[in-house]
C-alpha cells in the first residue's frame, strides 16, 4: 500500500488549506487513517484520525478548526484546515493502520507535505 499526500503550501494566518492522502494498492482491512505532523525540532504528533466506522479523533490544538474526512470510492482521506495559525507550520504525514492479512498488522506512512503558515 502506498500513500500519496498532497495539498500543502504557504498560507497566511487565518487562511485555509485542504490536504489529501490518496491510497493505492490493496490491503485486507483498514482500522483507521489519520494525519500526523512534525514541526522543526519537535516530535511527530497526532493531528486527526478517522476509523473505518467513521469515528474521528482530534488533537486538542486543532479541534474546531480542522476536519478529517474520507471518500472511500476515491480511496482518499482529507484534512480540511481552517483558521490556520503559525503554530500549525509543520510537515504533515498521512498514516494507515490496518491488517495486510487476517493475522498481520500493517502500518504505512505517506511522504509528507509541508504546510507553512505565515503571521
Amino acid at each position: 500500500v502506498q500513500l500519496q499526500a498532497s495539498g500543502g503550501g504557504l498560507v497566511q494566518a487565518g487562511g485555509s488549506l485542504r490536504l489529501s492522502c490518496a491510497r493505492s494498492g490493496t490491503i485486507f482491512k483498514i482500522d483507521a487513517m489519520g494525519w500526523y505532523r512534525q514541526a522543526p525540532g519537535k516530535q511527530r504528533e497526532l493531528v486527526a484520525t478517522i476509523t473505518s466506522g467513521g469515528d474521528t479523533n482530534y488533537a486538542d490544538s486543532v479541534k474546531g478548526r480542522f476536519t478529517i474526512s474520507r471518500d472511500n470510492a476515491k480511496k482518499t482521506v482529507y484534512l480540511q484546515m481552517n483558521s490556520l495559525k503559525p503554530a500549525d507550520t509543520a510537515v504533515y504525514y498521512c498514516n494507515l493502520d490496518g491488517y495486510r492479512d487476517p493475522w498481520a498488522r500493517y502500518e504505512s506512512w505517506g511522504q509528507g507535505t509541508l504546510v507553512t503558515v505565515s503571521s
Side-chain angles (χ1 to χ4, degrees):
V1 174
Q2 289 189 327
L3 302 176
Q4 181 69 42
S6 61
L10 173 63
V11 64
Q12 288 189 330
S16 298
L17 283 174
R18 189 177 80 156
L19 305 183
S20 299
C21 176
R23 172 173 57 89
S24 61
T26 58
I27 188 167
F28 176 73
K29 179 177 180 287
I30 297 174
D31 281 345
M33 292 190 68
W35 290 93
Y36 292 71
R37 68 186 181 187
Q38 187 166 18
K42 295 188 177 181
Q43 290 188 332
R44 191 173 297 188
E45 63 177 3
L46 179 147
V47 177
T49 60
I50 184 166
T51 69
S52 59
D55 294 328
T56 57
N57 181 51
Y58 296 92
D60 288 343
S61 59
V62 307
K63 282 180 181 176
R65 299 188 298 122
F66 291 11
T67 302
I68 189 169
S69 63
R70 65 185 182 192
D71 185 328
N72 290 333
K74 294 182 178 180
K75 298 181 180 180
T76 299
V77 173
Y78 303 98
L79 184 69
Q80 178 66 44
M81 305 185 295
N82 299 327
S83 303
L84 283 160
K85 305 175 181 179
D88 295 317
T89 295
V91 177
Y92 284 71
Y93 299 90
C94 61
N95 169 270
L96 179 151
D97 181 45
Y99 286 82
R100 72 165 74 242
D101 60 43
W103 308 277
R105 291 204 67 88
Y106 179 82
E107 185 177 43
S108 181
W109 290 90
Q111 84 285 6
T113 185
L114 177 62
V115 172
T116 304
V117 184
S118 63
S119 57

